[in-house]
Every structure is written in C-alpha cells, then in structure tokens.
Amino acid sequence: MTTLIKNGTIVTATDRYPGDVLVDGEKIAMIGTSLEMFVDRTIDATGKLVLPGGIDVHTHLDMPFGGTTSADDFASGTIAAAHGGTTTIVDFAIQYRGQTLHHAWETWMKKAEGKAAIDYGFHMIITELNDQVECEMDALVRQGVTSFKLFMAYPGVFMLDDASIFKALLRTGKNGGTICMHAENGGVIDVLVKKALAEGKTAPRYHALTRPARAEGEATHRAIALAEIAGVPIYIVHLSAAEALEMVTEARDRGLPAYAETCPQYLFLSYENYLEPGFEGAKYVMSPPLRPKETQDRLWRGLAFNDLQAISTDHCPFCMKEQKVLGTDDFSKIPNGAPGIETRMSLVYDGGVRSGRISLNRFVELTSTSPAKIFGLFPRKGTIAPGSDADIVVFNPNRTMVLSARTHHMKVDYNPYEGRTVTGVSETVLSRGNVIIDNGSFVGRAGAGSFLARASR
Ligand SMILES: [Zn+2]
C-alpha cells in the first residue's frame, strides 16, 4: 500500500517547508517536491499542515479509581485520540500492593490488546518497592517499559516514602529507565482534607483548596533533589503550579536533567471553574487541581522557554452521571480526573500558535517530538522523516470547530471546554501508513494499534 500526501506544508520541530510525503507500507519512504508516481492513494493537502502524529504520554484508559473505572477503554479512548490527531499514547499500568510489576504489565497489555486503534506503550506505576520489585524494574526496561511513575500523594493507596523513591531513582541510574513523579505532598493534603470535611466543607471547590500550590512546589523540589542526589534525570508529570515550575526552572538553570510536562487543562481552565453552580465544579476535580488564572501565563512562558518540555493530557474521564456524583456530599469521594485525549492538539494550536505564545515548530515539539525523545520513541515516532513510522496528521489550520460533549468521541458525558471555538482541526490521520481518520471520520480498526517497546536512556 502506497500513499502520497501532496502539496502540503510539512512541519517538524525544526523545519517548515512545502513538500510531498510518500508513504510505503508502514513507513515514510520519501519526501520531495512535485513527486509524481503511481500510488494506491493520493491525499491532497493543499493549504494544510502535514504534522507528525501527536504523542500523548499521559493517559489513563480503563483505569480503576475510587470504586469506579475511567469511562474510556482502549477502544473508545484511542479512537477519540485519533480524531484529535494523536497517534501514540503512553498509558499507565498499575502495580497494586502485594502484586508484581509483571502481573500489572500483563493486566494492562490485555486491556489494550484487540482494542487500541493507535500504537501504545506503558509506564509502570510502582506502589510498593522491595528487592524483588527492583529486579523486576530491570526486566521491564529490557521489555520496553522504560519509565516508572511514583506518587508523593495519595497516602495508603499510591504514595511511596522518600526512601523507596530514592531507591527507585538509584535503580534507574543502573537500568536506564526514567522516573516520572506525581509531585504533591500527600501527607499535608490528607490533613487539610480531613480538616475541611470536619468543618463541613464538602463542595467540589474544597478539592482545590485542600491541595495548595505550595504542596506541589514542595514535592517538586523534593523530587528533583532526590534525583540530583541519585544522579539521575527526573520527569515531573502534570505540572500545574507556578510554585512547581519555579523549582524545575531553578534546577534546569543549574544544568540538572529535570523535565516536566503540563496539560491543556492548566493552560485553559482555572480555579474559577470550581465556582460553577451546583455540582458542576466536579467536572474539574483532578489532581493537581486547577490553579488561579494568572498561572496560565507562567506555564505558557515555561513552554516557550523550554522549562516545560511536553504537553500531555492526563486523560482520565469520569461521567458526571453515576461517577462524579459519588462525591455529591464529600469532595474527597469525587473520582479524580477529566477528559482531554481528543482536544489537546486543537486547543494548543489555537491557544498557543494562533495566539502567538509558541511557534508552530514548538507546537510540534511539545505535542510530539519532545515526548518521543524523552520516552524512547524517537525517531520511529515524533517526526516526519524517511524511515520513521508514517504517523501523520493532515491539519487544517483555518478550519474552526466547537468543542462539545454532543460531538466529541470520548465516552464521557461532558466536555470541560464545552462551547469553546477552536481554529485548527485534524482532518486526516495516518497510523503506520493506514488512514484511520478520513476527513473527520474514523475508518481505522480497534485492535490495529501495536504495543511499543520503548528504548531506555
Ligand atoms: Zn495521571
């Protein structure tokens, strides 16, 4: 099967030029101008951008949390991702206490197999560390699960103590893995949550008020310090607070390999969303919580100046009906998470590139190239070059779309950006050479996605 994408503007993290892309089988075979050849299919990209497929390195599909399960499974979640121009995800497998990492990996492989419509990899969440688990970390790195997520929050469920975190960091110095950190001070938050509930403060906004920005700043500082002592890189997930960004910036200014991602919700939503009437604020209950509006400018600056290296979604959808309502009388029982796997590329293009906050090349870098490099997928993924996988988005920079639960493909009954108009739409999407979104319609197949064994550092 050969496909020729003609007359588009090819954009990578470094270049932008008019050209044609020849796809042969699963790979990009050739790039040139005015290519004329017999192919099975020609896609006219006149007036469109030809981008490397989006890479979302933070998703939670089919994930049990707080007595329920995130609303998208690997079929609906990856189809929604494809609609939004994302062709690779890295999801999180969870080791529950008393279980092996291998068991967790097998469990999540089964969840994805036969369902994922795009390629996928896994990070491994470690909730209990002992000698055997440390050995298993090495084995997983060899099998292509080369990153591990640790929690400094959720005591009693996910949280690890500093000694365990430090041991895991040291281990990655030997096995070439990368530690990803959920950086919030869980002990402090727990005390604040109990105190609020005792005072009868049960509304959704208390979720945010009991998770102060400084608790994220403190944990981010500690995570980076532990990594510095261990002599290894660290990646901070879903950075939301200016207080945390300052810690990353300070570390990077000292030359430390500290990396961090932020998410669209922290760039486009704010604490004010918790004040929406009734129980509506529950839509935005996620951890870390939404921050004051002023934080948005700080995060955009961090993205522009490379103190933040990636934009992922932390897609973790729970329906208002039957799921978020578990916390009607108690904000601490509202399942934490919000949808976003489908809307990332359009939101960041519209709010980032069109508004002049980041360049077009930086947009590609933040949504595809840089996460590919950090997580061992480059150059197979994350760029448009001969030999790379033909994961390609034909993106219409002038078309507008209204984001809404009525039209989105995520299996969740609300959209946090309901009614927002964005300019810039993924129209046609190829995954390893196959057209999976054809002018806005899904024509791929659940189960066509493959597990990606990622490289170690
Ligand atoms: Zn997450």
Side-chain angles (χ1 to χ4, degrees):
M1 178 84 183
T2 49
T3 306
L4 187 59
I5 304 170
K6 280 191 73 69
N7 307 320
T9 299
I10 299 167
V11 185
T12 67
T14 48
D15 298 306
R16 171 188 192 161
Y17 56 96
D20 303 340
V21 180
L22 175 68
V23 174
D24 189 357
E26 299 191 345
K27 303 281 184 188
I28 295 169
M30 192 191 294
I31 300 170
T33 46
S34 309
L35 294 182
E36 295 296 342
M37 44 193 55
F38 292 106
V39 288
D40 299 305
R41 176 172 190 159
T42 302
I43 296 169
D44 181 19
T46 304
K48 317 269 170 76
L49 306 176
V50 179
L51 311 173
I55 298 178
D56 187 347
V57 293
H58 193 146
T59 67
H60 298 280
L61 302 177
D62 198 1
M63 186 191 82
F65 184 91
T68 185
T69 301
S70 62
D72 274 313
D73 65 6
F74 278 82
S76 67
T78 55
I79 290 169
H83 275 285
T86 289
T87 52
T88 299
I89 58 167
V90 185
D91 201 89
F92 292 88
I94 305 176
Q95 172 222 23
Y96 293 102
R97 288 182 182 171
Q99 291 179 353
T100 64
L101 299 187
H102 189 79
H103 175 81
W105 185 46
E106 278 190 341
T107 305
W108 258 264
M109 287 292 274
K110 276 192 203 116
K111 285 174 189 268
E113 213 179 279
K115 285 193 170 173
I118 59 173
D119 290 349
Y120 55 93
F122 291 109
H123 311 280
M124 177 61 63
I125 291 176
I126 299 176
T127 62
E128 184 177 47
L129 193 80
N130 53 39
D131 292 350
Q132 189 216 330
V133 170
E134 281 196 51
C135 291
E136 278 196 280
M137 286 174 73
D138 304 348
L140 276 181
V141 170
R142 288 193 296 272
Q143 286 163 314
V145 179
T146 54
S147 43
F148 304 89
K149 185 187 186 186
L150 311 180
F151 284 83
M152 301 173 108
Y154 302 111
V157 187
F158 293 129
M159 192 169 107
L160 286 185
D161 59 39
D162 287 354
S164 298
I165 290 169
F166 187 59
K167 280 186 197 165
L169 284 162
L170 283 173
R171 196 78 184 194
T172 61
K174 294 206 186 90
N175 64 27
T178 300
I179 297 292
C180 306
M181 192 68 78
H182 179 127
E184 285 186 295
N185 186 316
V188 166
I189 288 166
D190 234 30
V191 171
L192 291 173
V193 168
K194 290 198 176 98
K195 185 168 170 284
L197 290 173
E199 290 165 1
K201 296 168 175 167
T202 60
R205 69 175 183 278
Y206 291 104
H207 171 76
L209 295 173
T210 54
R211 304 185 88 92
R214 186 49 67 192
E216 187 185 342
E218 184 281 321
T220 302
H221 173 78
R222 183 160 34 106
I224 293 170
L226 296 178
E228 183 179 3
I229 300 167
V232 298
I234 186 145
Y235 182 91
I236 307 293
V237 297
H238 50 44
L239 186 145
S240 72
E243 287 81 346
L245 177 58
E246 279 166 14
M247 300 305 160
V248 175
T249 305
E250 185 269 343
R252 291 180 63 83
D253 287 348
R254 287 197 291 122
L256 293 176
Y259 305 93
E261 65 182 17
T262 190
C263 312
Q265 52 271 33
Y266 305 121
L267 298 168
F268 296 101
L269 304 171
S270 71
Y271 174 77
E272 286 163 33
N273 290 97
Y274 294 115
L275 307 179
E276 290 176 16
F279 191 59
E280 297 292 290
K283 291 173 179 173
Y284 315 98
V285 168
M286 60 185 83
S287 296
L290 300 177
R291 303 300 187 186
K293 214 169 171 43
E294 312 85 78
T295 307
Q296 294 173 359
D297 279 340
R298 304 283 293 275
L299 295 176
W300 281 113
R301 261 185 77 83
L303 290 166
F305 289 95
N306 203 32
D307 288 319
L308 299 169
Q309 292 75 39
I311 302 175
S312 65
T313 63
D314 196 10
H315 176 76
C316 191
F318 294 103
C319 290
M320 286 296 278
K321 206 178 144 196
E322 286 170 12
Q323 296 194 299
K324 291 284 190 182
V325 291
L326 293 169
T328 311
D329 306 317
D330 176 350
F331 69 87
S332 74
K333 296 205 165 63
I334 300 171
N336 284 203
I341 203 167
E342 185 173 354
T343 45
R344 178 182 67 133
M345 303 284 276
S346 289
L347 278 168
V348 177
Y349 180 83
D350 183 63
V353 180
R354 275 178 47 87
S355 69
R357 288 170 161 136
I358 54 172
S359 70
L360 187 54
N361 298 112
R362 185 67 180 151
F363 164 69
V364 170
E365 190 165 33
L366 289 165
T367 55
S368 180
T369 315
S370 162
K373 287 179 177 173
I374 293 170
F375 289 107
L377 291 165
F378 190 84
R380 180 177 172 190
K381 308 284 192 190
T383 193
I384 295 188
S388 291
D389 279 0
D391 290 359
I392 298 173
V393 177
V394 178
F395 191 86
N396 186 337
N398 299 313
R399 189 161 139 196
T400 61
M401 163 171 80
V402 179
L403 305 180
S404 171
R406 283 191 300 280
T407 49
H408 74 203
H409 302 85
M410 301 175 286
K411 235 169 68 186
V412 60
D413 60 3
Y414 75 97
N415 189 307
Y417 310 97
E418 186 68 39
R420 179 189 285 261
T421 300
V422 288
T423 301
V425 175
S426 302
E427 286 185 340
T428 296
V429 178
L430 282 76
S431 167
R432 271 184 292 109
N434 291 312
V435 173
I436 59 168
I437 300 290
D438 189 357
N439 211 353
S441 303
F442 179 70
V443 294
R445 180 174 58 83
S450 299
F451 170 73
L452 295 167
R454 294 178 292 115
S456 55
R457 280 187 286 115

